Amino acid sequence: MSQNPENPFKTYFDQTLERCGFDEDLKAGILFFLGESIIAANTNQLMNMFTEEEKIQQEFRRLFTLYATPNADINPLEALDTAPIKQIIYTYNEIYVNSIRNKSFDFDKVINDNLKSEFKLDFIEEFKNKQYKLVTNHNLNTSFFKQIGSYLNQFELSYEDIYLTGINYYQTNQKIDFEGINVLNLNIIDSFSPLYTTLFHYPLLYTYYPANLNANHLFSSILQFLYLHTNTDIAKHIHAFHNHIFYENNPRKVRKGWEFEELERGILISQTFHNALNIRKSPIFGTRADFLASDNYLLNELKDQNIPLENFKALMTKTIEEYYEADIDEVVAGKLNHAEFLQLLAIIFYETSANTMIVKGWKN
């Protein structure tokens, strides 16, 4: 159990989760899996950063004690029945790999019996016949975190103990089946939407790249993970345009007018959309050839076509509402939490910027 009242990362991360507008079950699920996956999520990065085995192990210890430090005398996991957690994790993998991604992976052949479970049928039913796309992944992530969090919150654990329960769960099971627990974890990490990818990068960024973390608004971080998973061909150009629109230099800060926590949602949606349209008036328009060279767009049929601007706006709204399953009126009315709203703004910014660049021009 952690009794350190002066833990700067814990303070920072707790404040972030609160600012995101997450409920207690969602927070608890995120904190459990942050601890449970912190080794799997950061192994490649640490091995790329350091070469000496002793140094790598030292940095692993540094990362997994960042939010809370285990107490050798107290293991919050021991008092829990972990079967429901194991069932949720095992079922998640079946849903993501074999249902949503339509693979034919036999987990029975690679997972030790201690990590297997009967499938949670209501969880499977929730995602029956769902397509492999960002919104499906995001909803799957959220359902997973809430189910884990709802179970753990029955025991009235502190945030530290929830995180340490995740650490203990991983440590216990990796002794039984090191490869199996990492396969299960990496599938979940692979499925993360840009929002959750951002949050699970915080320990690494906070430790090794604090200047980058502090210089970026949560919206910007979500946007970066969105376009890196959507179309890497044009990512650097969208990134440059995003910096041009959202940030002032020296010191780097968000420009006035982008008060994400203060302005009404309808205003921010309109503002994001119309600023994205202005990519054609920015220096980035000179890179249009790179955009035309890619075919990775939701509206590929618009490439080098003339279209009335109002038609384009209507088509963008329809595409975002249908592909990302986000009814704009419901979003404005408060359907999404704050972090999900920022993710939607990132989607609007990215899709509008990208598709605006491939249009030849606006018809009168």
Side-chain angles (χ1 to χ4, degrees):
M1 184 185 297
S2 171
Q3 298 295 337
N4 179 8
E6 297 179 358
N7 181 331
F9 178 74
K10 180 185 182 307
T11 300
Y12 182 88
F13 199 72
D14 287 350
Q15 288 175 346
T16 299
L17 296 183
E18 186 65 27
R19 192 166 67 251
C20 285
F22 296 153
D23 63 28
E24 289 303 309
D25 287 346
L26 189 47
K27 288 179 190 174
I30 289 171
L31 287 170
F32 170 85
F33 197 68
L34 187 74
E36 205 279 336
S37 67
I38 200 156
I39 301 297
N42 295 289
T43 296
N44 288 341
Q45 291 92 326
L46 289 184
M47 291 183 74
N48 286 333
M49 292 167 66
F50 307 104
T51 54
E52 296 179 8
E53 179 64 25
E54 186 177 337
K55 177 64 173 173
I56 293 170
Q57 293 304 320
Q58 177 186 329
E59 295 306 311
F60 271 133
R61 287 192 293 275
R62 181 182 179 188
L63 275 185
F64 78 68
T65 59
L66 198 59
Y67 186 88
T69 303
N71 182 327
D73 299 325
I74 302 173
N75 178 352
L77 187 68
E78 288 178 346
L80 301 181
D81 174 11
T82 59
I85 295 174
K86 178 172 67 175
Q87 184 184 40
I88 294 167
I89 290 173
Y90 194 66
T91 305
Y92 185 110
N93 274 263
E94 175 67 17
I95 293 170
Y96 176 62
V97 175
N98 292 331
S99 296
I100 292 175
R101 297 191 67 188
N102 202 27
K103 307 285 186 183
S104 299
F105 188 78
D106 189 350
F107 286 102
D108 278 348
K109 290 185 177 179
V110 296
I111 304 297
N112 183 284
D113 285 345
N114 286 286
L115 292 175
K116 294 176 189 174
S117 172
E118 296 292 322
F119 291 131
K120 195 170 186 291
L121 298 181
D122 60 334
F123 195 10
I124 286 180
E125 188 65 27
E126 187 181 350
F127 291 92
K128 188 176 180 180
N129 300 323
K130 292 290 185 180
Q131 289 181 278
Y132 176 44
K133 56 184 182 179
L134 184 153
V135 66
T136 310
N137 285 11
H138 178 78
N139 291 337
L140 178 63
N141 306 154
T142 301
S143 181
F144 169 72
F145 292 136
K146 285 195 171 189
Q147 289 182 68
I148 295 273
S150 176
Y151 175 70
L152 291 173
N153 280 335
Q154 297 176 80
F155 304 97
E156 299 182 348
L157 300 170
S158 67
Y159 285 168
E160 293 101 322
D161 280 351
I162 289 170
Y163 173 82
L164 292 174
T165 298
I167 292 271
N168 296 149
Y169 184 90
Y170 176 78
Q171 290 178 327
T172 299
N173 286 295
Q174 65 97 18
K175 292 173 185 174
I176 298 167
D177 184 6
F178 180 78
E179 289 189 11
I181 192 71
N182 283 302
V183 165
L184 295 173
N185 281 344
L186 290 171
N187 282 330
I188 296 172
I189 293 165
D190 178 67
S191 77
F192 279 169
S193 66
L195 165 57
Y196 294 123
T197 301
T198 299
L199 294 177
F200 277 76
H201 271 75
Y202 270 27
L204 195 77
L205 293 172
Y206 187 91
T207 303
Y208 304 106
Y209 309 100
N212 290 3
L213 182 61
N214 291 328
N216 266 354
H217 190 280
L218 181 58
F219 164 85
S220 299
S221 298
I222 293 170
L223 177 65
Q224 288 176 48
F225 284 113
L226 170 66
Y227 56 60
L228 286 174
H229 286 84
T230 306
N231 190 342
T232 55
D233 299 338
I234 59 171
K236 64 182 180 182
H237 301 314
I238 299 284
H239 183 61
F241 178 57
H242 150 262
N243 288 345
H244 176 73
I245 289 289
F246 284 97
Y247 288 100
E248 295 177 359
N249 291 321
N250 304 319
R252 179 180 162 98
K253 62 180 181 179
V254 178
R255 294 183 186 276
K256 287 184 178 180
W258 292 107
E259 288 77 28
F260 292 101
E261 284 77 29
E262 299 170 22
L263 292 178
E264 292 180 6
R265 289 186 170 191
I267 292 172
L268 282 165
I269 289 171
S270 177
Q271 195 169 299
T272 302
F273 182 78
H274 285 97
N275 273 275
L277 285 173
N278 286 334
I279 192 170
R280 295 179 71 89
K281 300 176 182 177
S282 77
I284 308 303
F285 193 61
T287 68
R288 183 167 178 262
D290 291 346
F291 285 76
L292 291 174
S294 173
D295 289 324
N296 197 3
Y297 302 101
L298 290 181
L299 297 173
N300 223 43
E301 67 274 13
L302 291 181
K303 189 179 285 188
D304 239 3
Q305 299 296 309
N306 289 306
I307 181 174
L309 180 56
E310 290 307 310
N311 291 16
F312 178 82
K313 291 178 181 179
L315 190 56
M316 284 305 309
T317 300
K318 181 174 182 287
T319 300
I320 287 167
E321 290 197 337
E322 290 182 355
Y323 187 78
Y324 293 102
E325 298 173 17
D327 184 297
I328 300 299
D329 290 337
E330 290 183 2
V331 170
V332 171
K335 182 180 179 182
L336 304 180
N337 61 47
H338 181 63
E340 289 173 326
F341 175 62
L342 292 181
Q343 181 168 260
L344 178 65
L345 288 182
I347 288 166
I348 291 170
F349 182 82
Y350 167 77
E351 292 292 357
T352 306
S353 298
N355 286 288
T356 295
M357 285 290 278
I358 63 173
V359 170
K360 186 173 184 178
W362 309 124
K363 274 184 185 175
N364 292 325

